[in-house]
Amino acid sequence: MEIAPNRKALTHERIVDTAARAIRRAGFQGVGVADIMKEAGLTHGGFYAHFASRDALLAEALVHAGQQGAARIAKGNALREAKGASPFRALVEGYLSDSHLSSTEKGCAVAALLSEMPRQSPDVQAAGVERVRGLVAMVERALPDSTAPGTAAAIASQLVGALQLARALGDNAEGKAFLAHNRRTLVAQHDAAPAD
């Protein structure tokens, strides 16, 4: 029999979930403890009942954001694969989709926060390293077994870079065309299944 989480655990989860969205939307430096607590519908004073420091919250929020992003990608991949896409094509089409372009606060934490990760505390950096490794592993799982070593890291780099550059161009025709070009190129270069 499962035990329901207590009120403190539910509040903690709400703070982490709010912070995970906030850091992807505004970056690590773009949000403060007071902002996160207010967005979670809580008072600033209750923060230290849940976290030892702001960095402890950021590290946990980054882990949570990574889990949310990975779950969202996996769900989309499963739907595309059910319609006949190869695992690699499903991953590329989902990651470089127009919806991912426009949904920074719900999307991949690596793409949203990569340039800020090296300037964070060691705990936040460690959480960032795990997110990068997780993304590379996700790409590796989608590639055929015969793929050359190191290819997954190169593709993960292109996925993140293409999404960041498209976001810099904007959620508009130019940004969407940039993603479409990268999708076609990656699928043509690395997909084991023939394109439609």
Side-chain angles (χ1 to χ4, degrees):
M1 185 170 169
E2 281 189 39
I3 298 173
N6 64 27
R7 184 176 174 170
K8 183 174 182 177
L10 291 172
T11 300
H12 184 92
E13 185 178 316
R14 186 167 71 191
I15 296 167
V16 171
D17 188 60
T18 301
R21 284 191 318 274
I23 61 173
R24 285 178 283 183
R25 179 180 61 238
F28 292 116
Q29 301 307 320
V31 293
V33 169
D35 300 321
I36 291 168
M37 295 300 282
K38 182 177 180 183
E39 189 176 330
L42 302 164
T43 62
H44 181 254
F47 175 80
Y48 290 101
H50 296 276
F51 303 95
S53 66
R54 178 178 180 271
D55 283 342
L57 169 61
L58 293 179
E60 195 170 333
L62 183 53
V63 170
H64 186 68
Q67 292 166 343
Q68 286 179 322
R72 185 175 182 204
I73 290 168
K75 182 179 178 183
N77 289 355
L79 292 172
R80 283 182 287 283
E81 286 178 48
K83 294 178 182 177
S86 69
F88 181 74
R89 184 178 188 138
L91 174 64
V92 170
E93 288 179 351
Y95 197 92
L96 298 181
S97 66
D98 293 349
S99 64
H100 200 188
L101 174 65
S102 63
S103 60
T104 305
E105 80 174 31
K106 295 178 184 174
C108 176
V110 175
L113 298 163
L114 184 64
S115 66
E116 294 183 54
M117 288 180 189
R119 293 184 293 277
Q120 301 310 305
S121 71
D123 289 344
V124 177
Q125 285 182 23
V129 166
E130 290 307 309
R131 303 292 62 78
V132 171
R133 288 178 181 152
L135 178 61
V136 173
M138 183 184 297
V139 173
E140 195 163 19
R141 287 190 301 274
L143 286 166
D145 292 339
S146 60
T147 303
T151 303
I155 292 170
S157 300
Q158 186 171 350
L159 290 171
V160 171
L163 184 59
Q164 288 180 319
L165 291 170
R167 285 178 176 163
L169 293 171
D171 184 8
N172 53 37
E174 187 177 16
K176 291 174 183 177
F178 190 87
L179 286 183
H181 173 74
N182 277 275
R183 280 193 306 268
R184 285 190 303 272
T185 300
L186 280 167
V187 168
Q189 289 175 342
H190 302 285
D191 192 20
D196 297 342

